[in-house]
Amino acid sequence: MGVVGFRGGYENAREGSSPGGRMLTARWDAFASRIASLSPWTNVYGLARTLIALGTLSTLLATGTDSLFLPAQGVPDFPKCDGPSAIGIYCAMPGENVGFARLVSILVLLVVVSGWRPRYTAIPHWWITFSFQANVTAPDGGDQIAAVVALLMIPIALGDSRTWHWGAGPDRVAREGGSRGWSLFAWSASVVIRIQVAGLYFQSSVAKLSHTEWADGTSLFYWLRDPYFGAPGWISPLTDAITRTSLGVIALTWGPLVIEFAMVLGLFAKRSVRPYLLAAGVSLHFAIGLLMGLGSFAFAMFGCLVLLLRPLDEPFGWVDRLIGRWRSTALGRRLARGPGGVRTRTRPAGDRPVAEAPEKDPEPVARSSSRSAAQPTTDFAKG
């Protein structure tokens, strides 16, 4: 993530460097410039932010403070405020104020979910998710993942000047000012996130194989009958029948392992393959959330999968269509209107964004027809 500052140092050293070094530096500069010219600020990372925030928000909405903060074995004091946990919001507002801190957390997460001003809500989003996993008595893995990914998304969000993270970003990042520096910083952060998420799946799939029940294909026979994490009553007759057969229990046990390891390969997969991996991953976590009641974990992993398997410069067309319908409403038009009467027109699916001129002074906008809208802007965009 420190690649933003390399260019100046290389340029100062070029005069005394060897021809091979100058050629390598020129290639690196061209590569970095090509990446930085692509905008990472699309609805892809916006959707991921919303999904991750929804995980924490759903837990706060569905769980009272009496259940979140209570004594447990090895945790006599609550909320937990030892070490780094002391900076959490529930430690800043302890005792009778914990309920108020929960309300503040809900309000912040609602703003994050809405997508308003990602540049200003990125750090509060991380603080709330960190506070939740650090201060509550019994956080789950999804809460910890949400806190880590929210932290890693801060470099992306800080360079995002859009009013809503659902909006269309520019095709190309302008050379002027620090825009390309922020873009390269954001792309670097996205690479770190992808490596982090792939490593998470790798550790999860490999670690399971150290347990006999996972290795021999019988683990789901026991998990789906667990009194806390087992299948709900309305579907348990079906899961019980499936896991009583050798083929059924092996498929339900080894299937998730295969999908998890496939997510690791998604780090290197071609762009044309990633949508299928994304569908498989979403199906896996939807099933886990449905059968084991881990809804907040499912939302966190949905967001992680989007960041791992959907390139930031390939916005979701269905999100654009939904936003277009929303903006066609009276409230949507009012919120979409920017200062001075300037507003961004929703583009059709697959088309690129164009900025409308202010209504008070309409002028024709010159557009280049030299390139098809569906054609990738660079080889990098092709994957």
Side-chain angles (χ1 to χ4, degrees):
M1 293 173 63
V3 293
V4 179
F6 285 176
R7 185 181 181 112
Y10 281 139
E11 288 179 344
N12 294 335
R14 275 179 183 170
E15 189 172 340
S17 61
S18 64
R22 289 196 297 270
M23 182 179 297
L24 181 61
T25 300
R27 289 181 177 178
W28 165 252
D29 286 347
F31 175 73
S33 179
R34 183 174 61 172
I35 294 176
S37 68
L38 297 172
S39 174
W41 301 296
T42 63
N43 62 36
V44 175
Y45 106 93
L47 177 62
R49 288 184 76 234
T50 290
L51 290 170
I52 291 171
L54 273 174
T56 310
L57 178 63
S58 63
T59 303
L60 285 169
L61 289 174
T63 314
T65 54
D66 294 339
S67 299
L68 293 173
F69 306 99
L70 71 168
Q73 185 176 4
V75 189
D77 299 325
F78 57 94
K80 297 184 294 183
C81 295
D82 54 320
S85 303
I87 68 171
I89 187 174
Y90 302 102
C91 295
M93 304 178 185
E96 297 179 356
N97 296 320
V98 167
F100 180 70
R102 173 174 171 266
L103 177 61
V104 171
S105 300
I106 290 174
L107 293 177
V108 170
L109 291 173
L110 283 172
V111 174
V112 175
V113 168
S114 74
W116 184 78
R117 294 293 183 188
R119 171 176 286 176
Y120 305 121
T121 58
I123 294 177
H125 178 205
W126 167 77
W127 185 46
I128 296 301
T129 54
F130 169 81
S131 301
F132 186 83
Q133 65 90 27
N135 297 153
V136 301
T137 300
D140 65 20
D143 302 321
Q144 296 168 344
I145 292 168
V148 172
V149 177
L151 175 64
L152 295 177
M153 282 195 297
I154 289 177
I156 306 177
L158 289 181
D160 190 352
S161 60
R162 295 175 297 171
T163 303
W164 304 92
H165 68 206
W166 307 109
D171 277 348
R172 313 286 289 184
V173 178
R175 292 180 178 272
E176 293 77 12
S179 297
R180 289 212 171 183
W182 276 113
S183 177
L184 192 58
F185 194 32
W187 280 110
S188 301
S190 74
V191 171
V192 174
I193 293 173
R194 296 189 69 222
I195 294 173
Q196 176 73 35
V197 176
L200 176 68
Y201 278 109
F202 179 78
Q203 191 275 338
S204 177
S205 59
V206 172
K208 287 184 176 70
L209 293 176
S210 63
H211 300 278
T212 303
E213 294 80 7
W214 282 100
D216 63 18
T218 61
S219 180
L220 265 291
F221 178 89
Y222 305 105
W223 273 112
L224 291 176
R225 290 169 173 78
D226 185 271
Y228 294 103
F229 296 102
W234 61 271
I235 200 173
S236 58
L238 176 61
T239 58
D240 289 349
I242 293 174
T243 54
R244 285 194 187 100
T245 66
S246 57
L247 182 60
V249 72
I250 288 175
L252 289 182
T253 302
W254 286 351
L257 295 180
V258 172
I259 294 176
E260 286 180 344
F261 193 75
M263 298 303 104
V264 181
L265 300 180
L267 185 62
F268 314 100
K270 294 181 178 180
R271 293 194 176 198
S272 59
V273 177
R274 293 184 201 174
Y276 303 102
L277 295 176
L278 180 59
V282 168
S283 299
L284 170 65
H285 290 291
F286 178 80
I288 292 174
L290 183 67
L291 297 178
M292 298 184 174
L294 300 177
S296 61
F297 175 75
F299 276 117
M301 296 314 300
F302 290 158
C304 288
L305 285 169
V306 169
L307 293 170
L308 172 64
L309 298 171
R310 184 75 178 193
L312 296 185
D313 58 324
E314 290 185 6
F316 289 102
W318 62 269
V319 173
D320 283 341
R321 290 189 289 273
L322 286 177
I323 298 303
R325 292 175 184 174
W326 158 252
R327 286 179 175 171
S328 65
T329 65
L331 179 59
R333 288 195 299 270
R334 186 177 306 168
L335 292 175
R337 192 177 301 278
V342 178
R343 54 194 174 92
T344 302
R345 185 169 62 200
T346 304
R347 66 176 182 263
D351 202 0
R352 310 304 297 180
V354 292
E356 265 191 282
E359 292 183 350
K360 61 183 181 181
D361 187 20
E363 295 180 1
V365 180
R367 300 176 184 172
S368 172
S369 59
S370 60
R371 177 173 56 88
S372 170
Q375 182 180 353
T377 55
T378 68
D379 291 337
F380 178 77
K382 299 177 183 177

